[in-house]
Amino acid sequence: MNNYQAGREKIVASQTSNHSGCNPGDIDGDGIDEILVAGHNRMHVFNGDGSLLWQKHLTGTAIYPPSVAVMDNNGTLGIIAGYRGRAQ
């Protein structure tokens, strides 16, 4: 994956054409949305400034954009991702 900066925008280039989409969500609780991107067999989470926060290998193909939602009664956010296969 290559990153290019143009002004204040962050452009992320990928070597795959199979992207299910992306969604914003403040998953680290700092008040700034991260960007969740699913494509082919990987999920990437980028900080608000465009730098990579983490990535996860999927053993299947992402078929829906990842989403952020409250997963328990304590308000803890979790990531929901639909893909064919299973997480490692």
Side-chain angles (χ1 to χ4, degrees), residues 56-88:
K56 178 79 175 171
H57 180 321
L58 306 173
T59 57
T61 301
I63 56 175
Y64 299 108
S67 296
V68 177
V70 174
M71 304 298 283
D72 59 25
N73 291 331
N74 295 325
T76 303
L77 292 178
I79 299 171
I80 301 167
Y83 55 91
R84 292 183 183 105
R86 66 178 199 273
Q88 289 186 343

Side-chain angles (χ1 to χ4, degrees), residues 1 12 19-23 35-39 42-46 56 58 62 64-66:
M1 203 174 242
V12 179
H19 286 84
S20 68
C22 64
N23 274 318
I35 303 163
L36 292 80
V37 180
R42 289 207 174 269
M43 180 185 308
H44 297 87
V45 177
F46 296 93
K56 178 79 175 171
L58 306 173
Y64 299 108

